[in-house]
Amino acid sequence: NGTSTANLLLEAGMTITPYGGFGRYQNAIRNSEEFNSANWTVTGATTTADTTTTTAPDGTYTADEIRDSYQTGAQIEQIILDADAAEQWTFSLWLKNNNATGSLLLVLQDNATSPVNTGATTTISSLPTRWQRYSVTHTASSTATQMTARIRFTEANASTSLYAWGAQMEAS
């Protein structure tokens, strides 16, 4: 009948569907929906897969809980090793408050920028109890070779937590 219902993924990173297509996409984050995997470095916090408490933005029980362990500067981060000098990167993810207080930082920093947390930052002063996508964009310095995506609690609040899902990092 000449109709196609399949999706086509092209090598160039484009998708064509029966409903149209969209351009290049990528995700440099490894285990983007598993914040408790070894690809994420966790300091002063704990991460657990939440399979019964809250649904992720896609309606499944795949969100992870990130719990502050009462340490100022508790954080979770992932380093991307293939950044190029002067390249622009964007880090984004879905977040939802469980019972966290204080503010939260999303940080995107290259390895040639110091001190820590001085790259691009997005401050979330009041995380809502509904899912919301947040992002931060940073242009790497002229000698950068890697980028670090970081979620950082700004206050020590024992046993407070948030939910995270669907992290993405891409060069533009």
Side-chain angles (χ1 to χ4, degrees), residues 68-114:
D68 186 350
S69 296
Y70 198 66
Q71 176 178 331
T72 302
Q75 64 186 24
I76 178 172
E77 67 182 16
Q78 191 171 130
I79 298 172
I80 308 304
L81 299 174
D82 59 355
D84 292 326
E87 192 171 44
Q88 187 177 61
W89 286 79
T90 298
F91 169 54
S92 63
L93 77 162
W94 290 92
L95 295 171
K96 176 182 174 180
N97 196 356
N98 181 27
N99 61 357
T101 57
S103 59
L104 187 72
L105 292 178
L106 292 186
V107 180
L108 189 53
Q109 180 174 4
D110 64 70
N111 61 318
T113 305
S114 65

Side-chain angles (χ1 to χ4, degrees), residues 142-158:
S142 61
T143 58
T145 58
Q146 65 188 38
M147 297 292 283
T148 300
R150 183 176 300 120
I151 306 162
R152 182 176 177 91
F153 290 91
T154 59
E155 299 173 16
N157 292 304

